[in-house]
Amino acid sequence: MKLKQRVVLLAILLVIFIFTKVFLIDNLDTSAANREDQRAFHRMMAGLRVELTPKLDHTLQSPWEIAAQWVVPREVYPEETPELGAIMHAMATKKIIKADVGYKGTQLKALLILEGGQKVVFKPKRYSRDHVVEGEPYAGYDRHNAEVAAFHLDRILGFRRAPLVVGRFVNLRTEIKPVATEQLLSTFLTAGNNTCFYGKCYYCRETEPACADGDMMEGSVTLWLPDVWPLQKHRHPWGRTYREGKLARWEYDESYCDAVKKTSPYDSGPRLLDIIDTAVFDYLIGNADRHHYESFQDDEGASMLILLDNAKSIRVSTWNRLNYLKNGVLKSALHSAMAHDPISPVLSEPHLDAMDQRLLSVLATVKQCTDQFGMDTVLVEDRMPLSHL
């Protein structure tokens, strides 16, 4: 073989070797990432059941101090939470020392301060477990039990962006009225033998109060985020207009998504992927009304989208987690996570079945996208360092 031919052959072999090595490294990286996703899923499943217990043997800190220290820019609570049961027990049992009307919003809620100074938001029961709200997806009152279920779904999906929520029974006559502000107290009334209140909010009406069973009211309590983490509200880029007959731009403009991707904070960092995660989350819980969202202030798009009042590309880790949850695993996981909640059973069987069905719809939609545009276009590897974090 002539020298020139040998050089050309060697060059070709070298190119093949380099491409093979790069391909193998990429595959190894992907396999390692997938294995880590699988390990994270098994860790989550192993620690899913939370027993509410007052014990905090290994620390002198209060439950409120522990929960406050958990909060960082990209998660509200960590993956490993051995103290979660004690914190939720405190939320469900600690003495209420003050009660006031809830922060401004569209739905009825009360702001409670528990022993130790911890704020929580109380949402009262408005529907029975099997009640079906007719009409638009955003019709009707907020469901207190949906808040509890949404928190545990956040745990199951591995997002860790929802504040802690637990069910609680309160006696309106003995626990709330004696410590209520005049503003809240003025909204109390009696309907038959039941104590009721209607609070202060955009849709709150004296003619539509929330009523206890006698004096005992079932509800949910959501842990207030620490004041050192002030929130900033953002208009959701895919929100609706709230004007009858008027479409939002995303409903008719095919180029809208490209425009969003060029707009801060969606043009860099994790925010756009957070929006997509949240769209999956909202679809699973049946929330069609996330017209705004919150993040921590002055974060330049780096902090998470916080899942309060509880999709384009999708994270590989989210895709993997959703696939692990099919074939009834999601329903089983929710059963296990909520088994020890004070208001258990939190969801009815039809609600759990509906979530399993919605999961299949999400998977089918993403599969359709990957078939059309390719895996590399649709699935984004999110375990790489982000430039401004």
Side-chain angles (χ1 to χ4, degrees):
M1 186 181 291
K2 294 181 180 179
L3 177 61
K4 186 176 181 179
Q5 290 174 320
R6 286 200 296 268
V7 170
V8 171
L9 180 59
L10 183 61
I12 292 171
L13 290 173
L14 183 61
V15 169
I16 293 173
F17 172 75
I18 291 171
F19 274 103
T20 302
K21 188 173 182 181
V22 169
F23 177 77
L24 287 173
I25 290 173
D26 284 347
N27 277 353
L28 285 172
D29 287 346
T30 302
S31 297
N34 288 342
R35 285 197 298 273
E36 177 50 37
D37 285 345
Q38 206 163 33
R39 285 193 291 267
F41 177 74
H42 289 309
R43 287 195 299 270
M44 178 278 295
M45 291 293 285
L48 198 54
R49 188 177 290 266
V50 179
E51 294 191 28
L52 275 60
T53 172
K55 293 182 180 179
L56 277 173
D57 296 332
H58 64 290
T59 178
L60 295 177
Q61 290 181 302
S62 73
W64 316 137
E65 291 171 326
I66 294 170
Q69 290 174 1
W70 280 350
V71 182
V72 294
R74 292 296 302 167
E75 61 185 21
V76 174
Y77 54 92
E79 182 180 14
E80 302 291 335
T81 53
E83 305 92 350
L84 182 59
I87 295 169
M88 295 178 76
H89 180 271
M91 292 168 63
T93 61
K94 285 287 188 182
K95 182 180 179 181
I96 300 166
I97 60 175
K98 185 178 179 181
D100 201 355
V101 295
Y103 58 92
K104 62 181 180 180
T106 61
Q107 297 281 340
L108 172 60
K109 60 185 78 72
L111 180 62
L112 309 180
I113 299 180
L114 305 182
E115 189 176 22
Q118 178 63 50
K119 295 178 185 176
V120 295
V121 176
F122 178 79
K123 283 194 175 182
K125 176 182 178 180
R126 305 298 296 256
Y127 300 116
S128 63
R129 293 290 190 274
D130 56 356
H131 180 81
V132 176
V133 178
E134 303 291 346
E136 299 291 344
Y138 41 81
Y141 306 116
D142 278 357
R143 291 179 182 264
H144 71 295
N145 55 320
E147 294 283 352
V148 177
F151 165 65
H152 290 289
L153 178 64
D154 178 71
R155 295 175 60 216
I156 291 166
L157 292 175
F159 292 166
R160 299 192 291 278
R161 299 173 210 158
L164 277 58
V165 185
V166 69
R168 177 164 180 162
F169 289 93
V170 297
N171 187 306
L172 295 182
R173 181 176 58 84
T174 62
E175 292 185 90
I176 301 295
K177 293 182 76 172
V179 296
T181 62
E182 283 298 322
Q183 193 174 21
L184 178 61
L185 204 56
S186 66
T187 72
F188 273 76
L189 52 90
T190 301
N193 294 322
N194 301 321
T195 303
C196 313
F197 77 102
Y198 56 91
K200 300 281 186 182
C201 69
Y202 187 80
Y203 291 124
C204 290
R205 303 284 186 272
E206 185 174 355
T207 54
E208 300 179 22
C211 292
D213 182 4
D215 292 322
M216 293 300 296
M217 175 169 276
E218 178 183 321
S220 66
V221 287
T222 302
L223 196 70
W224 193 272
L225 290 171
D227 292 336
V228 295
W229 294 98
L231 299 181
Q232 180 177 359
K233 181 173 280 192
H234 309 267
R235 178 74 185 175
H236 198 296
W238 282 276
R240 58 192 178 94
T241 64
Y242 287 85
R243 297 178 187 173
E244 189 172 349
K246 182 174 175 59
L247 298 177
R249 181 180 167 186
W250 62 267
E251 294 180 279
Y252 62 83
D253 185 352
E254 292 291 334
S255 67
Y256 177 70
C257 191
D258 290 328
V260 170
K261 290 191 293 181
K262 297 173 184 175
T263 306
S264 178
Y266 310 109
D267 55 349
S268 64
R271 184 62 59 79
L272 187 57
L273 291 173
D274 285 351
I275 289 276
I276 295 159
D277 280 350
T278 305
V280 173
F281 178 86
D282 284 339
Y283 181 70
L284 290 175
I285 65 173
N287 179 18
D289 204 28
R290 196 179 295 279
H291 41 81
H292 289 85
Y293 68 87
E294 284 82 13
S295 70
F296 293 130
Q297 280 185 8
D298 303 321
D299 65 347
E300 298 181 352
S303 88
M304 62 192 161
L305 187 158
I306 300 167
L307 297 173
L308 293 174
D309 290 330
N310 308 309
K312 180 109 185 78
S313 293
I314 187 170
R315 285 183 166 99
V316 172
S317 58
T318 300
W319 173 245
N320 287 341
R321 182 61 63 95
L322 293 173
N323 274 284
Y324 299 150
L325 291 168
K326 63 187 178 183
N327 299 324
V329 177
L330 175 59
K331 178 178 178 178
S332 176
L334 283 165
H335 262 305
S336 180
M338 301 184 296
H340 293 286
D341 193 273
I343 63 169
S344 182
V346 175
L347 294 181
S348 67
E349 289 299 312
H351 279 122
L352 290 165
D353 290 337
M355 292 179 75
D356 267 346
Q357 289 300 313
R358 289 172 190 155
L359 173 60
L360 294 179
S361 297
V362 172
L363 293 173
T365 300
V366 178
K367 179 65 165 55
Q368 184 179 7
C369 291
T370 58
D371 289 345
Q372 183 175 353
F373 301 108
M375 297 283 283
D376 291 341
T377 301
V378 177
L379 301 181
V380 175
E381 177 53 66
D382 56 317
R383 282 157 290 226
M384 58 185 70
L386 298 161
S387 59
H388 63 292
L389 287 184

